[in-house]
Amino acid sequence: MKKLLSAAITALFFQIIAVNSSQAQLTALPNGGNKRASVSEQIGLADVTIRYNRPHVNKREGHIWGTLVPVGYVDQGFGTSKAAPWRAGANENTTIEFSTDVKIEGQLLPAGKYGFSLAYDPNECTLIFSKNSTSWGSFYYNPAEDALRVKVKPVAADKSVEWLKYEFADETPASAIVQLEWEKLIIPFKIEVDVVTNQVASFRRELRSNKGFNWESWNQAALYCAQNKTNLDEALTWTDNSTGPNFGGSKSFPAWKTKAMILDSLGRGSEAMEIMKKALPYGSEFEVYIYGNDLVMQKKAKEAFDIFKMNYDKYPEDLYTNIGMASGYSALGDYKTALEYAQKALPKAKGANIGIVNLAIKDLKMGRDMNLD
């Protein structure tokens, strides 16, 4: 009986050891000394993150591309894939994640996290974005899980890169080039985003949150649409909130001005002018001056002059009302009278405004429209 009990205890002990060993995940360096790495960048409002492992050349110059990284697809002798691409790194899957929809080399790819691999060819590489982002390497690669394939041309590097790396290059507000760099080769691909569409979508989400409980947020979103001539019908409804009584913007000159801009863009110019007549009493001398300048830029000289004159009559000793009068007369072609107001504005100017007023005076003395600079 004792022997049976002792055997049972021994068996249980080894079972516990086995279970604990299978669950143990102590922190250690990656296999093969391949460094773990990640690189992230925001393109427009899209967050792009690449997570990968970095193999190194390790005295294998000339034997990386085409040897260590095979040409095309190969049977790796393990897993289910008989024609696997390279994992574009080392160890577990290289992944790339996008917080918004993007375009890769001009082709649409929805927001999400993708396994990233490539089929190398010295003339043209095939980049593969797989819906499977959790596998170890490409041993279980399944082409049915491809979300997108694109072809790009590899480029010779000026100098050798010891440790494989991904970098963002040639950034613009709406795009960037991702470069896989290793040994003496660069494999680039372009990511593009629709900045305006993503921004409007972001506004929609945030306006439904606590950020939507002030007129400034509604006005910011509507003004963006007005400036970019997009989503105007919805933006007009946003101005109902920015100028309405609920969020404190009913007497906000900027909010009413935005509404007028949208109405004008929708071809409802007479309504826009009525809106601005209503809003003018709410504006500061500077806000009204800026509105007058906007009209000058729109080649509406008579309307601009009337705004500048109204502002001047209310604040005759202000810098901006005097320079506004100079701008108004200049737009009408009366440079002599414009000069008188510009000279009156000069003693009131400070800092950078001194230079601006002096430039206006110089133009007017030369018989040129001060509004052209």
Side-chain angles (χ1 to χ4, degrees):
M1 181 67 181
K2 288 183 178 179
K3 289 182 177 180
L4 288 174
L5 180 60
S6 176
I9 292 173
T10 301
L12 178 61
F13 172 77
F14 282 110
Q15 183 178 357
I16 292 171
I17 292 295
V19 169
N20 286 342
S21 296
S22 68
Q23 293 176 344
Q25 294 292 329
L26 299 180
T27 302
L29 292 174
N31 291 342
N34 301 310
K35 300 171 180 285
R36 293 188 182 96
S38 64
V39 60
S40 299
E41 185 150 321
Q42 191 174 66
I43 306 174
L45 289 180
D47 294 317
V48 181
T49 301
I50 304 171
R51 292 182 175 87
Y52 63 106
N53 281 256
R54 302 179 65 190
H56 58 134
V57 175
N58 194 22
K59 301 179 181 179
R60 295 174 290 186
E61 290 85 356
H63 300 285
I64 298 298
W65 302 101
T67 304
L68 183 66
V69 177
V71 174
Y73 303 83
V74 297
D75 184 347
Q76 301 178 93
F78 179 79
T80 58
S81 178
K82 302 305 178 184
W86 178 51
R87 70 189 80 182
N91 299 352
E92 60 260 41
N93 239 356
T94 295
T95 65
I96 183 165
E97 187 169 6
F98 309 99
S99 64
T100 73
D101 295 352
V102 298
K103 285 185 176 180
I104 307 293
E105 291 293 316
Q107 298 188 48
L108 182 64
L109 184 64
K113 185 176 183 180
Y114 298 93
F116 180 65
S117 56
L118 68 88
Y120 167 71
D121 184 278
N123 299 310
E124 189 175 57
C125 298
T126 301
L127 309 185
I128 301 169
F129 298 82
S130 172
K131 297 172 186 176
N132 180 354
S133 64
T134 59
S135 290
W136 180 274
S138 55
F139 298 110
Y140 296 91
Y141 169 71
N142 184 348
E145 296 174 326
D146 290 356
L148 178 67
R149 286 189 178 199
V150 297
K151 294 183 181 295
V152 298
K153 294 186 179 299
V155 179
D158 293 333
K159 59 182 179 179
S160 185
V161 176
E162 176 67 20
W163 293 89
L164 182 148
K165 64 180 178 178
Y166 287 85
E167 288 190 342
F168 289 88
D170 298 335
E171 296 94 333
T172 75
S175 68
I177 303 294
V178 172
Q179 297 184 159
L180 186 165
E181 303 176 17
W182 195 24
E183 202 212 23
K184 295 182 179 179
L185 200 68
I186 298 172
I187 300 176
F189 62 94
K190 187 174 186 178
I191 301 175
E192 298 172 277
V193 300
D194 187 331
V195 173
V196 173
T197 297
N198 288 345
Q199 181 65 80
V200 172
S202 177
F203 285 147
R204 288 194 189 105
R205 289 191 300 270
E206 292 189 316
L207 289 173
R208 298 175 64 181
S209 71
N210 62 334
K211 294 182 179 180
F213 287 95
N214 60 77
W215 71 266
E216 291 92 344
S217 292
W218 293 96
N219 183 62
Q220 179 186 354
L223 180 59
Y224 180 87
C225 294
Q227 291 171 335
N228 288 278
K229 299 286 193 282
T230 189
N231 195 48
L232 294 175
D233 290 321
E234 183 177 17
L236 186 60
T237 68
W238 291 345
T239 66
D240 293 338
N241 286 321
S242 63
T243 60
N246 294 331
F247 302 122
S250 59
K251 293 186 178 181
S252 164
F253 181 82
W256 285 106
K257 182 182 174 185
T258 298
K259 187 165 193 169
M261 287 176 63
I262 294 172
L263 286 168
D264 193 58
S265 294
L266 289 170
R268 296 159 65 176
S270 58
E271 291 179 66
M273 291 300 293
E274 290 302 314
I275 287 287
M276 289 311 300
K277 287 178 183 177
K278 176 182 177 180
L280 284 171
Y282 304 145
S284 68
E285 59 269 36
F286 180 69
E287 289 173 333
V288 174
Y289 162 72
I290 293 297
Y291 173 55
N293 261 345
D294 291 343
L295 293 174
V296 170
M297 295 300 104
Q298 296 168 29
K299 308 300 182 184
K300 297 178 179 179
K302 178 61 171 63
E303 294 91 334
F305 180 83
D306 291 343
I307 295 300
F308 288 135
K309 182 66 166 64
M310 181 210 70
N311 205 22
Y312 176 81
D313 289 343
K314 193 174 181 180
Y315 306 102
E317 300 303 318
D318 184 81
L319 165 66
Y320 294 108
T321 61
N322 278 277
I323 201 65
M325 288 297 289
S327 181
Y329 275 113
S330 182
L332 293 172
D334 186 349
Y335 303 142
K336 180 179 178 181
T337 307
L339 179 59
E340 294 174 5
Y341 281 99
Q343 290 171 328
K344 184 180 176 183
L346 184 58
K348 308 176 191 301
K350 296 180 180 180
N353 284 331
I354 296 174
I356 294 172
V357 176
N358 273 322
L359 284 175
I361 290 173
K362 180 180 178 181
D363 282 337
L364 293 169
K365 282 183 176 180
M366 296 177 66
R368 297 191 312 192
D369 184 0
M370 62 174 277
N371 300 301
L372 297 180
D373 292 333

